[in-house]
Amino acid sequence: MGDGDEVPAWQRRTAGESRLAATAAVLAIIGLQMMLPDRFLPEPGWLLPGLEALLLVVVVVANPVRVDREETWLRWLGLGLVGLLGVATAYSADRLVVGLIDGTLSDDPARLLGSGGAVWLTNVVVFGLGYWEFDRGGPAARAHARKPLPDFMFVQMQNPELTSPEWEPQFVDYLYLSFTNATAFSPTDVMPMSRWAKVLMMAQSAISLILAALVIARAINVLH
C-alpha cells in the first residue's frame, strides 16, 4: 500500500507502547507476594521479591518511557523478570495446593479465601505479562513490526473496519486475555494462533481451575 496510514498500526512500525501499565502490573505482583503468609515464598521471603524489584528497576531505567528499544541483553532481562515472577507464582501455587490437600492451611475461611485469591490474581497477572512478552517477539519487536503473523488474534485484527487504524495490542489487552482465560477456562474473543500460545493458555486454564476448585471446596468445608 502506498499510504502508511492504510496499514493497521499492529502491522507497521509505531512509537511503541507506554511502559506504565506493565510496570504497575509487576509492582502489583510484588506487593501481593509481600502480603502472602511466609509459607508461600521460599526462604528468605524477601529474596524473590527483591530480585524482581531489582530487575524491574534495571529494565525501566534502560527503557523508561516507551517499550521500543531492541537490544539482546534488554530482551533477556525482560524475559528473566517474567520468568522469575513465574517461578515465584508457581511456588506459591504449589504451597497453596499442598496446604489445601494436607489440611495445614488456616481454618479461617476469610484468610483462606484471601490467600487463595491473591495467588489466583498473581497467576492471572503473570500470564498476562507472559502473553505480552512473547506475542510476535515481544513489545519492542511489535513496535518495529518484526513479525507479521500474530500469535494471538484479537477482534480488532479480524475486523479492522470496527476500530481505529492506530489500534494495536497493549498490555491491558493481554491482561484481559489472561483474565478471561482464567475465568472461562477457554479462549473467548482472543484466539491463540501459534502452538506455544495454545499450550500456555491450556496451562493457565488448568492452574486456575485447580486453584479455584480447591480453595472454594476447602472454604466450604471449613464453614461446615
Side-chain angles (χ1 to χ4, degrees), residues 50-64:
L51 289 174
E52 292 161 359
L54 179 61
L55 284 179
L56 177 62
V57 169
V58 175
V59 169
V60 170
V61 168
N63 197 5

Side-chain angles (χ1 to χ4, degrees), residues 1 20 31 97 220:
M1 296 182 183
L20 184 60
V97 170
I220 292 175

Side-chain angles (χ1 to χ4, degrees), residues 33 37-49 51-52 84 87-93 95:
Q33 290 174 348
D38 293 340
R39 67 176 294 161
F40 287 95
L41 286 175
E43 295 295 333
W46 55 265
L47 181 60
L48 282 180
L51 289 174
E52 292 161 359
L84 200 58
V87 168
T89 303
Y91 185 91
S92 297
R95 293 297 87 200

Side-chain angles (χ1 to χ4, degrees), residues 10-25:
W10 70 272
Q11 289 184 313
R12 55 179 160 83
R13 184 169 181 172
T14 61
E17 69 176 282
S18 169
R19 179 172 287 283
L20 184 60
T23 301

